[in-house]
Amino acid sequence: MAITVTARTNRSGILWLVATPIGNLADLTPRATEILGSVGLVCCEDTRRTGKLLHLAGITAPPMAVCNEHTEHDLIDRVLDSLGAGDDVAIVSDAGTPGISDPGERIVAAAVAAGATITPVPGACAAVAGLIASGLPTGRWVMEGFVPRSGPERRKRIEEIAAEQRTVVLYEAPHRLARTVSDLADACGADRRVTIARELTKLHEEFIHGALGTIDIGEPRGEYVIVLDGRHVDRTPPDDDIIRAAVDAEIAAGASRRDAAATVAKRLGVPRRVAYDLTIGNRSISEPSE
Ligand code: SAM
């Protein structure tokens, strides 16, 4: 269906894809606030939750329509009609960037097909926030979102992830985190590096770096992003400067050489002896005596 402009304004509306905070409300951008305050319709997962956000941002709530996996398809005509009538429409999700493991994709596809003007209003996205703080390669990466919960689909997806050479970003619910990490360890090998990013942008934000087989995730609480190192066909270990800097930091924080080497070896997936030898070779380190 193509957009027919029936407008008083003689222009079709814009479909705005607006990112909202994933925890820290200050991450709602001024542009997002301005757009949400100006559109004729906001499509959101939960009108109460989005209403609260709009209220906190000082916006008088425009009309809202519930957009979730059950309703998104049925909203397409309403959104295209609004755009055709010259009204701007925004899509938001409960948190983060719409369309990323959240509703939005189907309306956007229909709007593209109809020739509508679509404009993103970028902001928080848990996948990108977790990736950039993981210390794993960011040059080439893939977003896997949630893995299927069970059955052959899950096994197949985890095998595909294990074979992936790029960094892989996953979302997981807290009560499934341990099982997913364990299934990934079985498929990828216990020494594959991983970062678990918890409660991004919130008070209890935490990054746990380690290897799949030994990482200590504690008692899962809150929201998690898993960032998994890609499969290294020709495994190049981190270079000496990176290992030395990591050991220096441990020693500066009060660890003995031996403990610093053990911690860094585990975190970076290098032999303990390599890390220890670098502490001995580095005369500038001032560490407590053992
Ligand atoms: N569209 C959202 C985005 O752009 O980040 C993601 C929505 S998805 C339904 C929700 C999942 O994202 C959570 O289960 C969790 O895996 C991840 N997530 C969202 N907020 C997070 C946060 N503050 N810290 C860590 N992970 C988060």
Side-chain angles (χ1 to χ4, degrees):
M1 160 177 170
I3 288 195
T4 319
V5 179
T6 57
R8 330 167 276 273
T9 53
N10 208 23
R11 73 153 180 91
S12 56
I14 296 172
L15 179 61
W16 300 95
L17 310 174
V18 183
T20 56
I22 55 171
N24 189 325
L25 290 179
D27 289 337
L28 186 72
T29 67
R31 184 167 173 240
T33 305
E34 186 189 327
I35 299 298
L36 291 172
S38 72
V39 297
L41 176 68
V42 173
C43 302
C44 58
E45 291 182 87
D46 179 337
T47 52
R48 276 186 51 195
R49 191 172 166 142
T50 298
K52 229 176 180 177
L53 178 72
L54 297 180
H55 179 72
L56 286 170
I59 298 167
T60 311
M64 289 192 257
V66 173
C67 180
N68 58 34
E69 58 179 315
H70 309 293
T71 62
E72 182 173 354
H73 183 262
D74 293 339
L75 259 186
I76 290 174
D77 285 348
R78 179 167 172 197
V79 169
L80 296 185
D81 286 348
S82 294
L83 296 174
D87 290 329
D88 286 359
V89 176
I91 302 180
V92 298
S93 65
D94 275 353
T97 299
I100 302 299
S101 297
D102 264 340
E105 179 184 329
R106 283 185 280 177
I107 293 179
V108 173
V112 168
T117 303
I118 300 156
T119 302
V121 183
C125 175
V128 175
L131 172 70
I132 59 172
S134 69
L136 294 169
T138 56
R140 298 182 70 212
W141 63 282
V142 288
M143 173 59 176
E144 279 289 345
F146 292 97
V147 288
R149 287 184 200 171
S150 59
E153 277 184 2
R154 178 178 173 90
R155 261 197 306 284
K156 183 167 175 288
R157 184 72 58 83
I158 284 184
E159 275 165 23
E160 286 167 1
I161 289 169
E164 175 58 61
Q165 291 182 36
R166 293 166 291 185
T167 304
V168 180
V169 181
L170 299 140
Y171 287 155
E172 193 48 284
H175 59 285
R176 290 194 207 98
L177 181 67
R179 193 178 140 229
T180 294
V181 169
S182 157
D183 287 354
L184 287 169
D186 289 345
C188 303
D191 62 349
R192 180 81 71 92
R193 290 172 67 200
V194 67
T195 291
I196 310 283
R198 182 172 92 89
E199 295 285 86
L200 288 157
T201 79
K202 303 185 197 175
L203 187 62
H204 297 293
E205 179 178 87
E206 181 183 18
F207 297 93
I208 312 166
H209 306 280
L212 281 173
T214 49
I215 194 161
D216 180 3
I217 54 176
E219 189 179 325
R221 217 176 269 149
E223 297 193 280
Y224 290 88
V225 175
I226 303 172
V227 187
L228 180 68
D229 200 7
R231 183 172 69 95
H232 291 249
V233 177
D234 172 21
R235 190 169 248 291
T236 323
D239 70 29
D240 287 0
D241 287 343
I242 288 181
I243 302 171
R244 194 178 289 114
V247 173
D248 277 1
E250 291 296 328
I251 291 173
S256 66
R257 287 183 180 212
R258 188 176 297 116
D259 288 348
T263 304
V264 169
K266 186 175 160 195
R267 190 190 307 145
L268 298 183
V270 296
R272 193 184 287 214
R273 166 59 55 193
V274 170
Y276 189 74
D277 287 351
L278 283 167
T279 74
I280 291 171
N282 187 346
R283 301 278 170 229
S284 68
I285 295 173
S286 63
E287 83 285 16
S289 55
E290 295 188 27

Coordinates of all heavy atoms in Angstrom, one line a residue, residues 25-88:
L25 N 17.5 7.6 33.1 CA 16.6 8.4 32.5 C 17.3 9.6 31.7 O 16.7 10.2 30.8 CB 15.6 9.0 33.4 CG 14.6 7.9 33.9 CD1 13.6 8.6 34.9 CD2 13.8 7.3 32.8
A26 N 18.5 9.9 32.2 CA 19.2 11.0 31.6 C 19.6 10.7 30.1 O 20.1 11.5 29.4 CB 20.4 11.4 32.4
D27 N 19.5 9.4 29.8 CA 19.8 9.0 28.4 C 18.7 9.3 27.4 O 18.8 8.9 26.2 CB 20.2 7.5 28.4 CG 21.5 7.2 29.0 OD1 22.3 8.2 29.1 OD2 21.8 6.1 29.5
L28 N 17.6 9.8 27.9 CA 16.6 10.3 26.9 C 17.1 11.6 26.3 O 17.4 12.5 27.0 CB 15.2 10.6 27.6 CG 14.1 10.9 26.6 CD1 13.7 9.7 25.8 CD2 12.9 11.5 27.4
T29 N 17.4 11.6 25.0 CA 18.0 12.7 24.4 C 17.1 13.9 24.3 O 15.9 13.7 24.2 CB 18.6 12.4 23.0 OG1 17.5 12.1 22.1 CG2 19.5 11.2 23.0
P30 N 17.6 15.1 24.2 CA 16.8 16.3 24.0 C 16.0 16.1 22.7 O 14.8 16.5 22.6 CB 17.8 17.4 23.9 CG 19.0 17.0 24.6 CD 19.0 15.5 24.4
R31 N 16.6 15.6 21.7 CA 15.9 15.4 20.4 C 14.7 14.4 20.6 O 13.6 14.7 20.1 CB 16.8 14.9 19.3 CG 16.2 14.8 18.0 CD 17.3 14.6 16.9 NE 16.8 14.4 15.6 CZ 17.0 13.3 14.9 NH1 17.8 12.3 15.4 NH2 16.5 13.1 13.7
A32 N 14.9 13.4 21.3 CA 13.8 12.4 21.5 C 12.7 13.1 22.3 O 11.5 12.9 21.9 CB 14.4 11.2 22.4
T33 N 13.0 13.9 23.3 CA 12.0 14.6 24.0 C 11.2 15.5 23.1 O 9.9 15.6 23.1 CB 12.6 15.4 25.2 OG1 13.4 14.6 26.0 CG2 11.6 16.1 26.0
E34 N 11.9 16.2 22.3 CA 11.3 17.2 21.3 C 10.3 16.4 20.4 O 9.1 16.8 20.2 CB 12.3 17.9 20.6 CG 11.8 19.0 19.7 CD 12.9 19.6 18.8 OE1 14.1 19.6 19.2 OE2 12.6 20.0 17.7
I35 N 10.8 15.3 19.8 CA 10.0 14.6 18.9 C 8.8 14.0 19.5 O 7.6 14.1 19.0 CB 10.8 13.4 18.2 CG1 12.0 14.0 17.4 CG2 9.9 12.6 17.3 CD1 11.7 14.9 16.3
L36 N 9.0 13.4 20.7 CA 7.8 12.7 21.4 C 6.8 13.7 21.8 O 5.6 13.4 21.9 CB 8.3 11.9 22.6 CG 9.1 10.7 22.2 CD1 9.8 10.0 23.5 CD2 8.3 9.7 21.5
G37 N 7.2 15.0 22.0 CA 6.3 16.0 22.4 C 5.5 16.6 21.2 O 4.6 17.4 21.3
S38 N 6.0 16.2 20.0 CA 5.4 16.9 18.8 C 4.5 15.9 17.9 O 3.8 16.4 17.0 CB 6.5 17.5 17.9 OG 7.2 16.4 17.3
V39 N 4.6 14.6 18.1 CA 4.0 13.7 17.2 C 2.5 13.6 17.5 O 2.0 13.9 18.6 CB 4.6 12.3 17.2 CG1 6.0 12.3 16.7 CG2 4.5 11.7 18.6
G40 N 1.7 13.1 16.5 CA 0.3 12.9 16.7 C -0.1 11.6 17.3 O -1.2 11.3 17.7
L41 N 0.9 10.6 17.2 CA 0.6 9.3 17.7 C 1.9 8.6 18.2 O 2.9 8.7 17.5 CB 0.0 8.4 16.6 CG -0.3 6.9 16.9 CD1 -1.4 6.8 18.0 CD2 -0.7 6.2 15.6
V42 N 1.9 8.0 19.4 CA 3.1 7.2 19.8 C 2.7 5.8 19.9 O 1.7 5.4 20.6 CB 3.5 7.7 21.2 CG1 4.6 6.8 21.7 CG2 4.0 9.1 21.2
C43 N 3.4 4.9 19.2 CA 3.2 3.5 19.2 C 4.2 3.0 20.3 O 5.4 3.2 20.1 CB 3.5 2.8 17.9 SG 2.5 3.4 16.6
C44 N 3.6 2.3 21.3 CA 4.5 1.8 22.4 C 4.1 0.5 22.9 O 2.9 0.1 22.7 CB 4.5 2.8 23.5 SG 2.9 3.1 24.2
E45 N 5.0 -0.2 23.6 CA 4.6 -1.6 24.1 C 3.6 -1.5 25.2 O 2.7 -2.3 25.4 CB 5.9 -2.3 24.6 CG 6.8 -2.7 23.5 CD 8.0 -3.4 24.0 OE1 7.9 -4.7 24.2 OE2 9.0 -2.8 24.4
D46 N 3.8 -0.5 26.1 CA 3.0 -0.4 27.3 C 2.7 1.1 27.5 O 3.6 1.9 27.8 CB 3.9 -1.0 28.4 CG 3.2 -0.9 29.8 OD1 2.3 -0.1 30.0 OD2 3.5 -1.7 30.7
T47 N 1.4 1.4 27.4 CA 1.0 2.8 27.5 C 1.3 3.5 28.9 O 1.7 4.6 29.0 CB -0.5 3.0 27.2 OG1 -1.2 2.2 28.0 CG2 -0.8 2.7 25.7
R48 N 1.2 2.6 29.9 CA 1.5 3.2 31.3 C 2.9 3.5 31.4 O 3.3 4.6 31.9 CB 1.0 2.1 32.3 CG -0.4 2.3 32.6 CD -0.8 1.4 33.8 NE 0.0 1.6 35.0 CZ 0.0 0.7 36.0 NH1 -0.7 -0.3 36.0 NH2 0.8 1.0 37.0
R49 N 3.8 2.6 31.0 CA 5.2 2.8 31.1 C 5.7 4.0 30.3 O 6.4 4.8 30.8 CB 5.9 1.5 30.7 CG 7.4 1.5 31.0 CD 8.0 0.1 30.7 NE 9.4 0.3 30.8 CZ 10.3 -0.5 31.3 NH1 9.8 -1.7 31.7 NH2 11.5 -0.3 31.3
T50 N 5.2 4.0 29.0 CA 5.6 5.1 28.2 C 5.0 6.4 28.7 O 5.7 7.5 28.7 CB 5.3 4.9 26.7 OG1 6.0 3.7 26.3 CG2 5.6 6.0 25.8
G51 N 3.8 6.4 29.2 CA 3.1 7.5 29.7 C 3.9 8.1 30.9 O 4.1 9.3 31.0
K52 N 4.5 7.2 31.7 CA 5.3 7.7 32.8 C 6.6 8.4 32.3 O 6.9 9.4 32.9 CB 5.7 6.4 33.6 CG 5.5 6.5 35.1 CD 5.9 5.2 35.7 CE 5.7 5.1 37.1 NZ 6.0 3.8 37.6
L53 N 7.2 7.8 31.3 CA 8.4 8.4 30.8 C 8.1 9.8 30.2 O 8.8 10.7 30.5 CB 9.0 7.5 29.7 CG 10.3 8.0 29.0 CD1 11.5 8.0 29.9 CD2 10.6 7.2 27.7
L54 N 7.0 9.9 29.5 CA 6.7 11.2 28.9 C 6.4 12.2 30.0 O 6.8 13.3 29.9 CB 5.4 11.0 28.0 CG 5.6 10.1 26.7 CD1 4.3 10.0 25.9 CD2 6.8 10.5 25.9
H55 N 5.7 11.7 31.0 CA 5.4 12.6 32.1 C 6.7 13.1 32.7 O 6.8 14.3 33.0 CB 4.5 11.9 33.1 CG 4.2 12.7 34.3 ND1 3.3 13.7 34.3 CD2 4.7 12.6 35.6 CE1 3.2 14.3 35.5 NE2 4.1 13.7 36.3
L56 N 7.7 12.2 33.0 CA 8.9 12.6 33.6 C 9.7 13.6 32.7 O 10.4 14.4 33.2 CB 9.8 11.4 33.8 CG 9.4 10.5 35.0 CD1 10.1 9.2 35.1 CD2 9.6 11.3 36.3
A57 N 9.5 13.4 31.4 CA 10.2 14.3 30.4 C 9.4 15.6 30.3 O 9.8 16.5 29.5 CB 10.3 13.6 29.1
G58 N 8.3 15.8 31.0 CA 7.5 17.0 30.9 C 6.7 17.1 29.7 O 6.3 18.2 29.2
I59 N 6.3 16.0 29.1 CA 5.6 16.0 27.8 C 4.1 15.6 28.1 O 3.8 14.7 28.8 CB 6.1 14.9 26.8 CG1 7.6 15.3 26.5 CG2 5.3 14.9 25.6 CD1 8.3 14.2 25.8
T60 N 3.2 16.4 27.6 CA 1.8 16.0 27.6 C 1.6 14.9 26.7 O 1.9 15.0 25.5 CB 0.9 17.2 27.2 OG1 1.4 18.4 27.9 CG2 -0.6 17.0 27.5
A61 N 1.1 13.8 27.2 CA 1.0 12.6 26.4 C 0.1 12.7 25.2 O -1.0 13.1 25.3 CB 0.5 11.4 27.2
P62 N 0.7 12.4 24.0 CA -0.2 12.4 22.8 C -1.0 11.1 22.7 O -0.7 10.2 23.6 CB 0.9 12.4 21.6 CG 2.1 11.9 22.2 CD 2.1 12.1 23.7
P63 N -1.9 10.9 21.8 CA -2.5 9.6 21.7 C -1.5 8.5 21.6 O -0.5 8.7 20.9 CB -3.4 9.7 20.5 CG -3.6 11.2 20.3 CD -2.3 11.8 20.8
M64 N -1.8 7.3 22.3 CA -0.9 6.2 22.2 C -1.6 5.0 21.7 O -2.8 4.8 21.9 CB -0.3 6.0 23.6 CG 0.7 7.0 24.1 SD 1.6 6.5 25.5 CE 0.7 7.4 26.7
A65 N -0.8 4.1 21.0 CA -1.4 2.8 20.5 C -0.4 1.7 21.0 O 0.8 1.9 20.9 CB -1.5 2.9 19.0
V66 N -1.0 0.6 21.4 CA -0.2 -0.5 21.9 C 0.4 -1.2 20.7 O -0.3 -1.7 19.8 CB -1.0 -1.4 22.8 CG1 -0.1 -2.6 23.2 CG2 -1.4 -0.7 24.1
C67 N 1.8 -1.3 20.7 CA 2.5 -2.0 19.7 C 3.3 -3.1 20.3 O 4.3 -2.9 20.9 CB 3.4 -1.0 18.9 SG 4.3 -1.7 17.6
N68 N 2.8 -4.3 20.2 CA 3.6 -5.5 20.6 C 3.5 -6.6 19.6 O 3.0 -6.4 18.5 CB 3.1 -6.0 22.0 CG 1.6 -6.4 22.0 OD1 1.1 -6.9 20.9 ND2 0.9 -6.1 23.0
E69 N 4.1 -7.8 19.9 CA 4.2 -8.8 18.8 C 2.8 -9.2 18.3 O 2.6 -9.7 17.2 CB 5.0 -10.0 19.3 CG 4.4 -10.7 20.5 CD 5.2 -11.9 20.9 OE1 5.6 -12.7 20.1 OE2 5.5 -12.0 22.2
H70 N 1.7 -9.0 19.2 CA 0.4 -9.4 18.8 C -0.3 -8.3 18.0 O -1.2 -8.6 17.1 CB -0.4 -9.8 20.0 CG 0.2 -10.8 20.9 ND1 0.5 -12.1 20.5 CD2 0.8 -10.7 22.1 CE1 1.1 -12.7 21.4 NE2 1.3 -11.9 22.4
T71 N 0.0 -7.1 18.3 CA -0.8 -6.0 17.7 C -0.1 -5.2 16.6 O -0.7 -4.5 15.9 CB -1.1 -4.9 18.8 OG1 0.1 -4.4 19.3 CG2 -1.9 -5.5 20.0
E72 N 1.2 -5.4 16.5 CA 2.0 -4.6 15.5 C 1.4 -4.7 14.1 O 1.3 -3.7 13.5 CB 3.5 -5.0 15.6 CG 4.3 -4.1 14.6 CD 5.8 -4.4 14.7 OE1 6.3 -5.2 15.6 OE2 6.5 -3.8 13.9
H73 N 1.1 -5.9 13.7 CA 0.7 -6.1 12.3 C -0.6 -5.3 12.1 O -0.8 -4.6 11.1 CB 0.4 -7.6 12.0 CG 0.0 -7.8 10.6 ND1 -1.3 -7.9 10.2 CD2 0.8 -7.8 9.5 CE1 -1.3 -8.1 8.9 NE2 -0.1 -8.0 8.4
D74 N -1.5 -5.3 13.1 CA -2.8 -4.6 12.9 C -2.7 -3.1 13.0 O -3.6 -2.4 12.6 CB -3.8 -5.1 14.0 CG -4.2 -6.6 13.8 OD1 -4.0 -7.0 12.6 OD2 -4.6 -7.2 14.7
L75 N -1.6 -2.7 13.5 CA -1.4 -1.2 13.6 C -0.9 -0.6 12.3 O -0.9 0.6 12.1 CB -0.3 -0.9 14.6 CG -0.7 -0.5 16.0 CD1 0.6 -0.1 16.8 CD2 -1.6 0.7 16.0
I76 N -0.4 -1.4 11.4 CA 0.2 -0.9 10.1 C -0.7 0.1 9.4 O -0.3 1.2 9.1 CB 0.6 -2.1 9.2 CG1 1.8 -2.8 9.9 CG2 1.0 -1.6 7.8 CD1 2.3 -4.1 9.1
D77 N -2.0 -0.3 9.2 CA -2.9 0.6 8.4 C -3.1 1.9 9.2 O -3.1 3.0 8.5 CB -4.2 -0.1 8.2 CG -4.1 -1.2 7.1 OD1 -3.1 -1.2 6.5 OD2 -5.0 -2.0 7.0
R78 N -3.2 1.8 10.5 CA -3.5 3.1 11.2 C -2.3 4.0 11.1 O -2.4 5.2 11.0 CB -3.8 2.7 12.7 CG -4.0 3.9 13.5 CD -4.5 3.6 14.9 NE -4.6 4.8 15.7 CZ -4.7 4.8 17.1 NH1 -4.8 3.6 17.7 NH2 -4.7 5.9 17.7
V79 N -1.1 3.4 11.2 CA 0.1 4.2 11.1 C 0.2 4.9 9.7 O 0.5 6.1 9.6 CB 1.4 3.4 11.4 CG1 2.7 4.2 11.1 CG2 1.4 3.0 12.9
L80 N 0.0 4.0 8.7 CA 0.1 4.6 7.3 C -0.9 5.6 7.1 O -0.7 6.7 6.4 CB 0.0 3.5 6.3 CG 1.2 2.4 6.3 CD1 1.1 1.4 5.2 CD2 2.6 3.1 6.3
D81 N -2.1 5.4 7.6 CA -3.2 6.4 7.5 C -2.8 7.8 8.1 O -3.0 8.8 7.6 CB -4.5 5.9 8.1 CG -5.2 4.9 7.2 OD1 -4.7 4.7 6.0 OD2 -6.1 4.2 7.7
S82 N -2.2 7.6 9.3 CA -1.8 8.9 10.1 C -0.8 9.6 9.3 O -0.8 10.8 9.1 CB -1.2 8.5 11.4 OG -2.2 8.0 12.2
L83 N 0.2 8.8 8.8 CA 1.3 9.5 8.0 C 0.7 10.2 6.7 O 1.0 11.3 6.4 CB 2.3 8.4 7.6 CG 3.1 7.8 8.7 CD1 4.0 6.7 8.2 CD2 3.9 8.8 9.5
G84 N -0.2 9.4 6.1 CA -0.9 10.0 4.9 C -1.7 11.3 5.2 O -1.8 12.2 4.4
A85 N -2.2 11.3 6.4 CA -3.0 12.5 6.8 C -2.1 13.7 7.3 O -2.5 14.7 7.7 CB -3.9 12.2 7.9
G86 N -0.7 13.4 7.2 CA 0.2 14.5 7.5 C 0.6 14.5 9.0 O 1.3 15.4 9.4
D87 N 0.2 13.5 9.7 CA 0.5 13.4 11.1 C 1.8 12.6 11.3 O 2.0 11.6 10.7 CB -0.5 12.7 12.0 CG -1.8 13.6 12.1 OD1 -1.6 14.8 12.1 OD2 -2.9 13.0 12.1
D88 N 2.7 13.1 12.2 CA 3.9 12.4 12.5 C 3.6 11.3 13.5 O 2.7 11.5 14.4 CB 5.0 13.3 13.1 CG 5.6 14.2 12.0 OD1 5.3 14.1 10.9 OD2 6.5 15.0 12.4

